[in-house]
Structures are given as structure tokens and as C-alpha cells.
């Protein structure tokens, strides 16, 4: 038997995943823990949220979202801003539009600080959120701990940042107009001397 004939009996098995020299093995990075957060006030504006969290937050926006069974109200006095700040109050006939974020867990403490959780300003509330046709369960939002009996008007700065966030993030036009009108009416009560 010739050498050539002996070699013809060997079958070369081609691997299913041939080695490609252009691919390099890279270690798999563990995914960073995250949490979902529903913003309905000044935190709807990623630029303003960045001020508190210390990094760009546009990348964490999931989309516009709706919280059903609640309504908005200015039942919080914000000493830092010397004006009323937004809160959500349970109301089975209403809904609140806002922004759903998926934030890295490392930002949780910064968000709590912004909302004065340690001082008893706001507390966590875990809610179901509808975002782009999908329901997200156990989403964190913030509600005022000691609600005022009547609403307090926002100042111009808070008015503008809330409205800018609502418009920039694409909340429905009718909702933005209703939000504008609500804040405007509260401010007019103060101008007319019917301060709450």
C-alpha cells in the first residue's frame, strides 16, 4: 500500500464553530444591578436629574409611561426651592403621565437624597407602570410622607423644569397643557392673594 493510499482513509472532521483569528476572547462583564424608577415631577427632565445623580441620565430613559389610580398634586412644601413640589395621591379615576427610567442601583442613594427620604420628605412607593404597552411591576416612585391639606403653588423655576421635562420626554400634548394649566392656576391664586 502506498503512503498516498493510507492517507485517503482518514476523514477530516470540520468543527461546527471553526476558530476565527479575528475573534478574541473577552471576559464577560457582570451586568450592573438596576432598578426601575417612575418620575412625574422635576425628575422627568434628564438634565435636572443629572444635577443630582452626577451623570448623564438620558441613556437610562425607557420611555414615557403611565401610572393609573393616582393623580398629581402640589401637597409638598419644598424648603430648598421655597415653593410647592409635586406629589402623587391615590385616586381610582385618574392617571399620571411621566417617565420610566432604568437606573443603575449605585444611583439609588443619590435619588433618595434628592427626594429627602432620610429627612421624611418623600418615601418609596412601589407601583405598576404601563410603558409602551408593557406593564412593569414594583417600579419605585416617591410619595410625600406628610401631605399638606391644600396645594401650594410652584415657583417659576420648578414650573419651568417640570414642563420642560414633560415636553422634552414626549408626554401627550393634552397632558402637558393640563399640567401647565394646573400650575398656572395655583400661581394665580397666590398673585390674587388667595394664598393657600
Amino acid at each position: 500500500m502506498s503512503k498516498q493510499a493510507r492517507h485517503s482513509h482518514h476523514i477530516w472532521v470540520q468543527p461546527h464553530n471553526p476558530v476565527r483569528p479575528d475573534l478574541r476572547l473577552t471576559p464577560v462583564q457582570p451586568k450592573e444591578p438596576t432598578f426601575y424608577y417612575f418620575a412625574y415631577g422635576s425628575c422627568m427632565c434628564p438634565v435636572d436629574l443629572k444635577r443630582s445623580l452626577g451623570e448623564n441620565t438620558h441613556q437610562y430613559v425607557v420611555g414615557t409611561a403611565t401610572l393609573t389610580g393616582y393623580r398629581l398634586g402640589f401637597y409638598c412644601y419644598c424648603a430648598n426651592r421655597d415653593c410647592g413640589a409635586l406629589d402623587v395621591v391615590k385616586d381610582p379615576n385618574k392617571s399620571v403621565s411621566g417617565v420610566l427610567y432604568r437606573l443603575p442601583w449605585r444611583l439609588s442613594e443619590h435619588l433618595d437624597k434628592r427626594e429627602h427620604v432620610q429627612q421624611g420628605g418623600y418615601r418609596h412607593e412601589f407601583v405598576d407602570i404601563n410603558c409602551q404597552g408593557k406593564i412593569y411591576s414594583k417600579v419605585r416612585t416617591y410619595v410625600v410622607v406628610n401631605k399638606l391639606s391644600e396645594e401650594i403653588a410652584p415657583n417659576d423655576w420648578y414650573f419651568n423644569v417640570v414642563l420642560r421635562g414633560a415636553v422634552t420626554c414626549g408626554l401627550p400634548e393634552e397632558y402637558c397643557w393640563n399640567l401647565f394649566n394646573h400650575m398656572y392656576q395655583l400661581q394665580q391664586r397666590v398673585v390674587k392673594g388667595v394664598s393657600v
Side-chain angles (χ1 to χ4, degrees):
M1 228 165 124
S2 70
K3 282 186 177 182
Q4 191 173 1
R6 273 187 282 164
H7 287 293
S8 64
H9 295 292
H10 296 289
I11 299 170
W12 176 255
V13 178
Q14 183 75 1
H16 292 292
N17 298 315
V19 176
R20 287 182 45 197
D22 59 328
L23 293 179
R24 293 194 176 104
L25 292 177
T26 54
V28 176
Q29 297 296 325
K31 288 190 175 179
E32 186 174 16
T34 60
F35 67 100
Y36 287 102
Y37 162 57
F38 176 71
Y40 55 84
S42 59
C43 289
M44 288 190 295
C45 178
V47 174
D48 192 58
L49 189 55
K50 176 184 178 181
R51 181 178 54 80
S52 299
L53 302 186
E55 64 181 80
N56 188 340
T57 57
H58 287 88
Q59 62 190 326
Y60 303 130
V61 172
V62 177
T64 58
T66 305
L67 168 64
T68 56
Y70 289 78
R71 65 180 165 82
L72 285 178
F74 286 84
Y75 295 104
C76 175
Y77 172 73
C78 180
N80 293 354
R81 297 172 180 148
D82 190 28
C83 71
L86 277 170
D87 181 22
V88 286
V89 180
K90 287 187 178 183
D91 185 330
N93 303 314
K94 301 288 183 178
S95 64
V96 175
S97 292
V99 177
L100 181 64
Y101 289 93
R102 185 177 181 183
L103 296 173
W105 187 259
R106 60 187 159 76
L107 299 179
S108 176
E109 190 177 324
H110 298 290
L111 193 56
D112 282 354
K113 185 176 179 183
R114 176 186 172 111
E115 302 298 339
H116 306 285
V117 171
Q118 295 287 18
Q119 295 79 22
Y122 286 80
R123 65 172 175 78
H124 296 173
E125 180 120 325
F126 294 95
V127 295
D128 292 341
I129 297 295
N130 185 329
C131 179
Q132 300 167 351
K134 181 179 175 185
I135 302 296
Y136 293 79
S137 297
K138 298 181 181 175
V139 174
R140 182 194 303 180
T141 195
Y142 290 85
V143 297
V144 173
V145 174
N146 296 309
K147 299 179 189 306
L148 301 171
S149 58
E150 293 187 59
E151 293 183 277
I152 296 181
N155 62 20
D156 289 342
W157 179 88
Y158 191 82
F159 187 119
N160 289 327
V161 77
V162 168
L163 204 56
R164 183 172 64 234
V167 171
T168 302
C169 290
L171 296 193
E173 185 177 348
E174 183 181 359
Y175 186 86
C176 292
W177 276 112
N178 288 338
L179 182 58
F180 172 89
N181 190 51
H182 186 138
M183 294 189 290
Y184 178 76
Q185 294 299 327
L186 287 173
Q187 286 189 336
Q188 290 307 300
R189 284 165 56 179
V190 173
V191 170
K192 292 174 182 171
V194 190
S195 162
V196 289

